[in-house]
Each structure stands twice: as structure tokens, then as C-alpha cells.
Amino acid sequence: MKPKTQKSQGNPNKKPTFSHAKATQWQKPNYKQKGKPKPKTDKPNKPEVRQMIRQQNAAKAEAERQQVRAEKEARIKAYKKQRLEKTKAISKRTQRGQPLMKDRMQLLLKQIEEMKQR
């Protein structure tokens, strides 16, 4: 068995070098102030509060759905009224069964005026 010998430390005035890369990277200093409390976020922790918020959100969603439904029904009603007027104008006939051109011409004129406005 060989006797253990001490390894020399190299130049004693030099800083030691590290083999892993993490220690050689520059790290930001920690300037966090311990005295300042962080602002707390108001998260509902109690079940009653969460339930109340859920109900409010559900009421908002329901009101929005009702509004969309009412708008849709109004559009459908207007379309049906317009279609009924058009059908009445086209289906008018003379005593002998011929189509009445006066109403058809007025309908065409109305369509042309609407196209000009757009």
C-alpha cells in the first residue's frame, strides 16, 4: 500500500475554478424587501361566495341568451311579414285569371330602390 500524499493546491492567491457551468453563470441579486406584504388577490375561498358568483354569471348568460333569442325572433317575424306581402302581390289575379302586372311592377321597383340604398 502506498502512503497518501497531499495534493498541492496550486497558486494560493488564485480563485478556485469550478467545473460545472451553473456556478460560473452570473445570478441576479435578491432585492426582495421582506417588510412589504404582497397584495392579496381576492379569490373566493368559501363555497357560499363561489356559489353566489356562479349564480351571477349564470344570470348574465341567461339574459344574454334571452336577448339573442328575442333579436332572432324579431328578424324571423320581419322576414315572414315581408314574404307574405310579396306572396300576396304576386298571387293577385284578374277576373279572367291573368296575373296582375301592376303589383308585380311595384314589387320590382321596390327591390330596385332597396338595391340602390345598399
Side-chain angles (χ1 to χ4, degrees):
M1 215 173 175
K2 287 186 177 180
K4 291 185 178 180
T5 59
Q6 285 186 339
K7 294 184 178 180
S8 64
Q9 293 294 326
N11 190 351
N13 296 332
K14 258 188 165 181
K15 290 182 182 176
T17 58
F18 298 102
S19 62
H20 54 0
K22 200 170 192 180
T24 59
Q25 290 178 348
W26 181 78
Q27 294 179 348
K28 290 184 181 180
N30 189 4
Y31 290 118
K32 289 183 182 176
Q33 295 177 356
K34 293 179 183 177
K36 272 189 178 178
K38 291 183 180 180
K40 292 184 178 180
T41 56
D42 292 333
K43 291 183 179 177
N45 292 328
K46 296 183 179 180
E48 299 88 21
V49 176
R50 287 195 302 264
Q51 182 68 23
M52 188 171 44
I53 290 174
R54 265 191 229 113
Q55 287 175 352
Q56 289 172 352
N57 291 342
K60 285 179 187 177
E62 181 64 28
E64 189 174 321
R65 281 194 295 266
Q66 293 246 346
Q67 183 181 3
V68 169
R69 189 180 304 131
E71 290 173 0
K72 185 177 178 183
E73 286 176 2
R75 284 194 309 262
I76 291 172
K77 193 173 185 178
Y79 172 73
K80 284 185 177 181
K81 184 179 178 183
Q82 182 183 5
R83 192 178 67 192
L84 183 66
E85 288 175 4
K86 184 179 176 182
T87 306
K88 279 186 179 180
I90 290 177
S91 65
K92 284 189 179 178
R93 306 240 170 213
T94 62
Q95 288 180 350
R96 295 186 181 187
Q98 299 296 315
L100 204 61
M101 286 295 143
K102 176 182 159 186
D103 290 334
R104 289 188 181 214
M105 289 299 175
Q106 285 180 351
L107 189 65
L108 288 172
L109 181 65
K110 192 184 219 182
Q111 286 178 349
I112 291 170
E113 287 173 353
E114 285 178 6
M115 285 174 51
K116 280 186 178 179
Q117 288 177 357
R118 292 182 191 171

